[in-house]
Amino acid sequence: MRYFLELSYNGTDYHGWQNQPNAISVQEVLENALSTLLNSTIAIVGAGRTDAGVHAKQMFAHFDTESNFKTEDLIYKLNSFLPNNIAIHNLFQVQPEAHARFHALSRAYVYRISLQKDVFNYNGSYYVKQHLNVPKMQQASKLLLGHKNFQCFSKSNTDVKTYYCNIMEAEWNLVGHELQFSIKADRFLRNMVRAIVGTLLNIGLGKLEVEDLHSIIASKSRSEAGFSVPAHGLYLTEVTYPETIKLNN
């Protein structure tokens, strides 16, 4: 039987989602917890691979098991067993072929920029001291929706078949003392969101013009785009799936 887990995590203490040979990952901690509680070796597959230090407010993962359990009981036991920086929110049975990564329809991220020094949230947002031209950054973010090939924002030497992504939403919002960039797409390349934010920040700082974004994307060169903002300000906020993956009990 195949199940989907819905979870969130603070990525500060982890070397990303995916298992690493010499570093702790969210996947490893979850697999160990499930294997212990279900008394069998459990492997899980996540909806994506967040980098080291990146957080997730909503992440999904699937796993297979023949063990019998009550859903509410396993959620409770997992949350008791797991460290404070990982929380399980839901667990449900899905179709045998349902896949947490390949069946995702869209993913959404938020990048948080603090506009003033915040001693309580310095590890959850990126502090920018300089003045930013937010209207220009907003204007540039809308240009992203008119493009498909985002190789210029991809980590170099990435083994992918295509650099095409369908960006559905991209905008800046002022939330209290934070400037937040929200972006939604069918898929993302490695380092893509952090490179986009760094490029938009360069526009806000006056280092680039809004129209420069077209030539940067056309270049398909990572060296033409802006810097990658730090991982600790990035949050995976939503992953959507077709309703048909759920098993109708």
Side-chain angles (χ1 to χ4, degrees), residues 1 10 15 23 35 46 60 68 108 124 129 133 156 206 218 224 230-231:
M1 293 176 287
N10 183 319
H15 201 78
S35 298
F60 287 91
N68 291 316
K129 298 183 283 290
N133 187 325
S156 301
E224 293 296 312

Side-chain angles (χ1 to χ4, degrees), residues 57-104:
K57 291 190 173 183
Q58 184 183 58
M59 169 65 106
F60 287 91
H62 76 249
F63 67 94
D64 297 325
T65 181
E66 295 302 321
S67 301
N68 291 316
F69 55 83
K70 287 185 178 179
T71 300
E72 297 81 5
D73 289 347
L74 185 56
I75 292 173
Y76 177 82
K77 289 176 181 177
L78 278 169
N79 279 323
S80 299
F81 194 88
L82 289 165
N84 291 334
N85 49 24
I86 302 176
I88 306 300
H89 304 294
N90 200 3
L91 173 64
F92 52 92
Q93 195 173 351
V94 294
Q95 301 289 350
E97 71 281 0
H99 197 285
R101 180 181 174 193
F102 297 138
H103 285 159

Side-chain angles (χ1 to χ4, degrees), residues 86-130:
I86 302 176
I88 306 300
H89 304 294
N90 200 3
L91 173 64
F92 52 92
Q93 195 173 351
V94 294
Q95 301 289 350
E97 71 281 0
H99 197 285
R101 180 181 174 193
F102 297 138
H103 285 159
L105 299 174
S106 68
R107 297 163 176 84
Y109 285 88
V110 167
Y111 194 86
R112 296 168 54 184
I113 293 173
S114 183
L115 300 177
Q116 66 178 35
K117 192 173 183 179
D118 185 346
V119 297
F120 299 110
N121 196 35
Y122 59 87
N123 60 354
S125 64
Y126 176 42
Y127 175 40
V128 176
K129 298 183 283 290
Q130 302 96 316

Side-chain angles (χ1 to χ4, degrees), residues 119-148:
V119 297
F120 299 110
N121 196 35
Y122 59 87
N123 60 354
S125 64
Y126 176 42
Y127 175 40
V128 176
K129 298 183 283 290
Q130 302 96 316
H131 171 75
L132 296 170
N133 187 325
V134 180
K136 280 193 173 184
M137 292 163 63
Q138 188 74 284
Q139 187 181 348
S141 69
K142 297 305 175 189
L143 297 182
L144 293 167
L145 278 64
H147 293 271
K148 296 296 181 187

Side-chain angles (χ1 to χ4, degrees), residues 136 139-140 143 147 203 208-216:
K136 280 193 173 184
Q139 187 181 348
L143 297 182
H147 293 271
I203 291 172
L208 292 170
E209 294 301 322
V210 173
E211 292 302 315
D212 290 338
L213 193 60
H214 290 303
S215 57
I216 290 170

Side-chain angles (χ1 to χ4, degrees), residues 189-208:
L189 305 168
R190 283 198 66 190
N191 202 56
M192 178 173 164
V193 180
R194 290 164 60 193
I196 286 175
V197 173
T199 305
L200 295 179
L201 280 178
N202 279 345
I203 291 172
L205 292 167
K207 296 179 180 179
L208 292 170

Side-chain angles (χ1 to χ4, degrees), residues 116-248:
Q116 66 178 35
K117 192 173 183 179
D118 185 346
V119 297
F120 299 110
N121 196 35
Y122 59 87
N123 60 354
S125 64
Y126 176 42
Y127 175 40
V128 176
K129 298 183 283 290
Q130 302 96 316
H131 171 75
L132 296 170
N133 187 325
V134 180
K136 280 193 173 184
M137 292 163 63
Q138 188 74 284
Q139 187 181 348
S141 69
K142 297 305 175 189
L143 297 182
L144 293 167
L145 278 64
H147 293 271
K148 296 296 181 187
N149 188 317
F150 295 101
Q151 184 173 353
C152 70
F153 297 125
S154 174
K155 194 178 184 74
S156 301
N157 303 318
T158 300
D159 184 23
V160 293
K161 293 179 180 178
T162 175
Y163 292 98
Y164 278 63
C165 305
N166 177 29
I167 296 181
M168 306 159 190
E169 300 170 12
E171 64 176 0
W172 291 92
N173 292 289
L174 191 62
V175 182
H177 296 294
E178 280 190 0
L179 189 58
Q180 298 186 356
F181 178 65
S182 302
I183 186 167
K184 183 177 182 179
D186 61 339
R187 63 189 290 265
F188 287 92
L189 305 168
R190 283 198 66 190
N191 202 56
M192 178 173 164
V193 180
R194 290 164 60 193
I196 286 175
V197 173
T199 305
L200 295 179
L201 280 178
N202 279 345
I203 291 172
L205 292 167
K207 296 179 180 179
L208 292 170
E209 294 301 322
V210 173
E211 292 302 315
D212 290 338
L213 193 60
H214 290 303
S215 57
I216 290 170
I217 294 174
S219 76
K220 299 181 182 179
S221 171
R222 180 66 189 89
S223 62
E224 293 296 312
F227 68 105
S228 289
V229 288
H232 66 267
L234 184 59
Y235 297 75
L236 175 62
T237 56
E238 183 186 50
V239 186
T240 61
Y241 294 93
E243 281 295 319
T244 52
I245 68 164
K246 290 186 178 180
L247 201 63
N248 295 319

